[in-house]
Amino acid sequence: MFPDVPNTGLPLSGLTVIDCTIWQQGTYASAMLADFGANVIKIEGPDSPDPGRGVSDAYFQSHNRNKRGIVVDFKHPEGRETVLRLAEQADVFVQNMRQGVMDKLGLNYAAVSARNPSVIYASASGYGSKGPHREWPAMDILGQARGGTMMTQGPPDLPPIFSFGGMADQVGAISLSYGILIALWHRARTGQGQQIDASLLGGQVMLQSFNITGTLFTGAIPPRRARAQAAPMWNVYQCKDGGWIALSMSQIGRWWRPFCEGIGHLDWRDDPRYNRLPDHYDHREEIIRKLDALFLEKDQWEWVEFLCGQGLPCAPVQDYEQITTDPQVVANEYIVEYDHPSGERRKIVGPAVQLEASPGSIRSGAPEFGQHTEEVLLEFGFAWDEIEHLKTCGAVGAR
């Protein structure tokens, strides 16, 4: 797929990505490619660094690890030409500016593909590339709102609940990186470049595929439910130490009998109000009260180890501190150590997808502002005198 390029052993080595993204959605998509060896060149403007730098070090490091950073003024004619020269040698061009911005800058798909017809031009948008609202501004929380996830979470007596900050961004990023790889495979077969789009809205709709399809099939909108209205065996329960556990045993015919036998409640096993449907759900509030009292008898991990030891599906409901020491997280290297730009060894969330022969990795931290400007331009064939001219006229480099 990438002929005549050095192979580092990572599956995307030799893939060159021009990254004109900010914040999170498009930025994390290109980070996912960089984790598996892509040469990602992050471009920031001299007066407009990625706003993510101002959020927190953790935020910027998470979304820009393994990249190299350069500074180019998109608005300067020679800066624009510099970006186009870089794009001539790129496989992928990623951007997540508001609709119309890249048109004004002269860096839209038409301009980039005119210089490189085989380029994959990937856009991370708010509401998609088509439709009457394609130019409306959108951020993570708006994607969650318009995409329906807010109206499915939490009990009905509370206002709509948004998930953790960045949930729609992350889903959009995963969708975009997936789309880029599909487009690259298409190009490998046909030689044809193309533009692709993945949006916050589209990602949220995709995330709830069967739920929304259920509404299409039946016309019914799933109601928000209080915990007491949910299925007793597909629910969460607080334990003696204040921790919570989650049960995943909604198939009553399969799980109710071994569960009751495991906890020593044969009376529950044999009670016709509890051991068959629909009676089980008709008495769900009563069952939940009994389970509430039961699970307060032991600590969180006592219950988890006890139930899982009997083959019953159960998991701890964990906070971030617990996740960082979870033996499964550690063993599978979902959190890894890397060299932070400060010179320290720090821990960071690593790739979630594991390839046995060519695993992704965090090889370097996020770049300092403009850290690799000269290095990258030289690699792309710019001469020293050209670089000095571009710096002098303000087209490249920090001011």
Side-chain angles (χ1 to χ4, degrees), residues 154-157 224-232 234-238 244-245 284-285 287-289 291-293 295:
D157 57 332
R224 298 174 75 195
R225 295 180 301 178
R227 177 174 164 271
Q229 297 172 316
W234 188 276
N235 215 319
V236 294
Y237 294 92
Q238 192 168 29
W244 291 76
I245 60 171
R284 60 185 178 273
E285 293 189 23
I287 297 172
I288 288 172
R289 285 196 297 271
L291 292 176
D292 277 336
F295 288 118

Side-chain angles (χ1 to χ4, degrees), residues 288-358:
I288 288 172
R289 285 196 297 271
K290 290 187 174 184
L291 292 176
D292 277 336
L294 171 74
F295 288 118
L296 285 173
E297 295 175 3
K298 297 181 182 179
D299 290 343
Q300 179 189 53
W301 270 95
E302 287 184 90
W303 276 119
V304 171
E305 291 176 347
F306 175 76
L307 294 173
C308 289
Q310 299 187 59
L312 298 168
C314 167
V317 180
Q318 301 193 128
D319 59 27
Y320 288 172
E321 184 177 10
Q322 289 175 295
I323 291 171
T324 60
T325 58
D326 185 304
Q328 287 304 114
V329 172
V330 173
N332 288 283
E333 298 184 314
Y334 297 143
I335 293 177
V336 297
E337 286 192 343
Y338 81 115
D339 291 321
H340 185 271
S342 66
E344 300 174 337
R345 289 285 289 175
R346 293 191 184 178
K347 291 183 178 180
I348 191 172
V349 174
V353 179
Q354 299 173 319
L355 278 66
E356 183 176 352
S358 53

Side-chain angles (χ1 to χ4, degrees), residues 356-370:
E356 183 176 352
S358 53
S361 61
I362 312 298
R363 300 172 301 284
S364 63
E368 299 295 330
F369 186 58

Side-chain angles (χ1 to χ4, degrees), residues 127-200:
Y127 299 132
S129 61
K130 304 172 184 176
H133 305 151
R134 63 186 182 277
E135 295 185 0
W136 284 10
M139 296 289 278
D140 174 77
I141 192 173
L142 304 184
Q144 294 187 40
R146 192 159 184 174
T149 52
M150 280 192 192
M151 287 302 293
T152 64
Q153 300 180 111
D157 57 332
L158 292 179
I161 296 175
F162 57 88
S163 184
F164 65 91
M167 186 271 282
D169 278 325
Q170 293 295 92
V171 174
I174 294 166
S175 299
L176 189 64
S177 62
Y178 168 68
I180 289 169
L181 294 177
I182 293 173
L184 287 168
W185 188 249
H186 173 80
R187 190 184 72 180
R189 284 179 162 170
T190 67
Q192 180 184 25
Q194 62 181 303
Q195 63 177 327
I196 66 172
D197 178 273
S199 69
L200 296 174

